[in-house]
Amino acid sequence: MATMKLVLVLMMTTIVAVWARDPELTNDFAVPVGMNASEITGDFFTFTGLRNFSAAPNTFGSKKVTQYKPNTLNPPHTHPRRSELIYVMSGHLDVSLIDSANKLYSAHLHEGDLFVFPQGRVHFQINMSKKRSVLAISAFGSSNAGTISLPKNIFGSGIKDEVLLQAFKINSAELMKLKAPFMPTM
């Protein structure tokens, strides 16, 4: 009888573990019924309805706000485990993402705008202003969305030079320049 209970508990644990897993993505993002995927632009991922939001600024609390100083870039990266939602609190921020067909989706966000970066898609943010900083908040659908910074992972990971030279079709001097910021310092 005890053996039967143990088998039953193990079976239920296996079923719960299987149900607890997130589904695999089969597409880069969901395209609404009746919409042609080839007509989608960066506006599809943007919500502008909060641009003129009239709540007092101190009614919104956050533990972490990203400041994009003038002319700074959050380099191309991806979050393999969850999507990212970015909200621009002040300033203007340019954002882009790339789908698996190598299509670039871009948007110029204003204060109050939201943008969704689908899970696993390469994306970046840049403050093109020469004078004004941008404040933005990012939220993820997980406490551990993961971040893979492409420049750091590619040029600072120890991939053999021969592989990078062929992949990027550059010479050794150019490769050393690209790797320099990511080399360990002593």
Side-chain angles (χ1 to χ4, degrees), residues 93-170:
L93 189 65
D94 289 289
V95 299
S96 294
L97 70 92
I98 306 162
D99 71 10
S100 61
N102 211 30
K103 181 175 177 182
L104 180 70
Y105 300 88
S106 298
H108 179 74
L109 304 181
H110 298 259
E111 185 173 317
D113 287 353
L114 294 150
F115 192 90
V116 176
F117 300 103
Q119 176 181 343
R121 301 289 51 105
V122 173
H123 61 280
F124 61 90
Q125 302 92 13
I126 186 167
N127 178 4
M128 300 293 284
S129 173
K130 305 288 187 229
K131 297 179 181 175
R132 188 168 180 207
S133 290
V134 175
L135 294 177
I137 296 175
S138 290
F140 300 90
S142 168
S143 61
N144 186 12
T147 299
I148 298 173
S149 172
L150 297 184
K152 182 178 178 185
N153 278 51
I154 292 170
F155 299 110
S157 65
I159 296 174
K160 291 186 178 203
D161 287 356
E162 296 79 27
V163 172
L164 296 173
L165 290 169
Q166 286 185 39
F168 291 99
K169 300 181 183 357
I170 57 177

Side-chain angles (χ1 to χ4, degrees), residues 5-169:
K5 287 183 180 178
L6 179 61
V7 169
L8 184 61
V9 167
L10 288 173
M11 285 176 48
M12 292 303 291
T13 303
T14 302
I15 290 170
V16 169
V18 170
W19 283 343
R21 188 176 179 285
D22 289 328
E24 289 294 325
L25 296 176
T26 57
N27 296 318
D28 291 336
F29 50 86
V31 177
V33 175
M35 184 176 227
N36 185 341
S38 66
E39 296 173 0
I40 292 177
T41 66
D43 292 340
F44 177 76
F45 303 96
T46 307
F47 176 73
T48 61
L50 296 176
R51 282 188 181 172
N52 297 316
F53 188 63
S54 61
N58 61 1
T59 61
F60 185 81
S62 174
K63 299 269 188 241
K64 182 174 184 276
V65 175
T66 302
Q67 180 179 24
Y68 296 88
K69 293 186 178 183
N71 202 33
T72 59
L73 167 74
N74 185 5
H77 61 282
T78 182
H79 305 289
R81 292 185 285 278
R82 284 293 181 259
S83 297
E84 176 181 2
L85 175 69
I86 192 166
Y87 170 71
V88 178
M89 295 176 62
S90 69
H92 295 174
L93 189 65
D94 289 289
V95 299
S96 294
L97 70 92
I98 306 162
D99 71 10
S100 61
N102 211 30
K103 181 175 177 182
L104 180 70
Y105 300 88
S106 298
H108 179 74
L109 304 181
H110 298 259
E111 185 173 317
D113 287 353
L114 294 150
F115 192 90
V116 176
F117 300 103
Q119 176 181 343
R121 301 289 51 105
V122 173
H123 61 280
F124 61 90
Q125 302 92 13
I126 186 167
N127 178 4
M128 300 293 284
S129 173
K130 305 288 187 229
K131 297 179 181 175
R132 188 168 180 207
S133 290
V134 175
L135 294 177
I137 296 175
S138 290
F140 300 90
S142 168
S143 61
N144 186 12
T147 299
I148 298 173
S149 172
L150 297 184
K152 182 178 178 185
N153 278 51
I154 292 170
F155 299 110
S157 65
I159 296 174
K160 291 186 178 203
D161 287 356
E162 296 79 27
V163 172
L164 296 173
L165 290 169
Q166 286 185 39
F168 291 99
K169 300 181 183 357

